[in-house]
Amino acid sequence: MRLALCPGTFDPITNGHVDIIERSSRLFDRLYVTIFPNPDKAVLFTLQERLEMVREAVAHLPNVTVEAHDGLVSDYVRARGIRVVIRGLRAVTDFEYEFQMAQMNMRLNPEVETCFMMTRPENAYLSSSIVKTVARYGGDVTGLVPPGVAKRLGALFKGR
């Protein structure tokens, strides 16, 4: 069975994330979309909220499992027999960070390969940070995030 991991903070999940997940799900028998902590990021949504949003956004994909893990990607994939980590790239600026992460994962677990997937042009500018900023100041995030995420963001920032 071909297994892969699509890790992220998903705070919140965007349509760019969903596109990468959909495309990856067609390449692998089982795709794990797993929320990992990132100590460099201050999150807006709780872990439970992020799990709910991701599960809702990918519910149409029967071979996708959504989980959370509080540890290293290299340990997670080793425990599940996963050999491929999927990472989306928007621009050259993403590559430097993702390259470093891929090299560290390979050092920690030489069995792991990182597969970089280019975003579609319509998602190249899209990030969770940008979406949160737009929502915080009352901008319309329709079409940038799944409908359930747009609703949560609207409710969160209503009246601010």
Side-chain angles (χ1 to χ4, degrees):
M1 181 175 260
R2 296 169 302 153
L3 308 174
L5 166 68
C6 185
T9 309
F10 303 111
D11 185 49
I13 189 168
T14 69
N15 287 346
H17 292 128
V18 174
D19 177 57
I20 295 291
I21 293 166
E22 287 174 343
R23 290 164 48 210
S24 298
S25 75
R26 293 192 296 266
L27 301 174
F28 296 91
D29 299 313
R30 169 73 41 205
L31 178 65
Y32 291 87
V33 176
T34 305
I35 299 173
F36 284 84
N38 183 336
D40 297 329
K41 292 183 179 179
V43 294
L44 179 63
F45 292 102
T46 68
L47 176 59
Q48 189 58 41
E49 289 171 321
R50 288 180 282 149
L51 281 166
E52 290 170 7
M53 287 186 285
V54 174
R55 285 181 178 136
E56 180 181 296
V58 301
H60 63 288
L61 302 170
N63 66 329
V64 173
T65 300
V66 179
E67 299 181 330
H69 182 73
D70 188 17
L72 295 172
V73 166
S74 61
D75 293 337
Y76 179 88
V77 295
R78 183 179 290 117
R80 282 165 182 74
I82 297 169
R83 306 276 302 265
V84 177
V85 176
I86 304 291
R87 298 300 298 178
L89 293 177
R90 294 170 295 194
V92 174
T93 52
D94 285 345
F95 179 77
E96 186 174 339
Y97 173 78
E98 295 298 346
F99 178 79
Q100 291 171 338
M101 293 299 294
Q103 293 296 305
M104 182 55 72
N105 284 333
M106 189 177 285
R107 182 180 187 283
L108 295 172
N109 184 346
E111 302 291 315
V112 176
E113 293 292 340
T114 300
C115 178
F116 296 113
M117 188 171 284
M118 307 311 292
T119 60
R120 294 187 189 280
E122 60 268 24
N123 297 320
Y125 66 92
L126 195 51
S127 73
S128 295
S129 299
I130 288 172
V131 166
K132 287 185 284 192
T133 300
V134 169
R136 179 173 278 117
Y137 292 103
D140 184 9
V141 295
T142 304
L144 304 178
V145 293
V149 175
K151 185 176 179 180
R152 284 179 189 249
L153 284 165
L156 185 65
F157 293 118
K158 189 174 186 170
R160 284 192 180 185

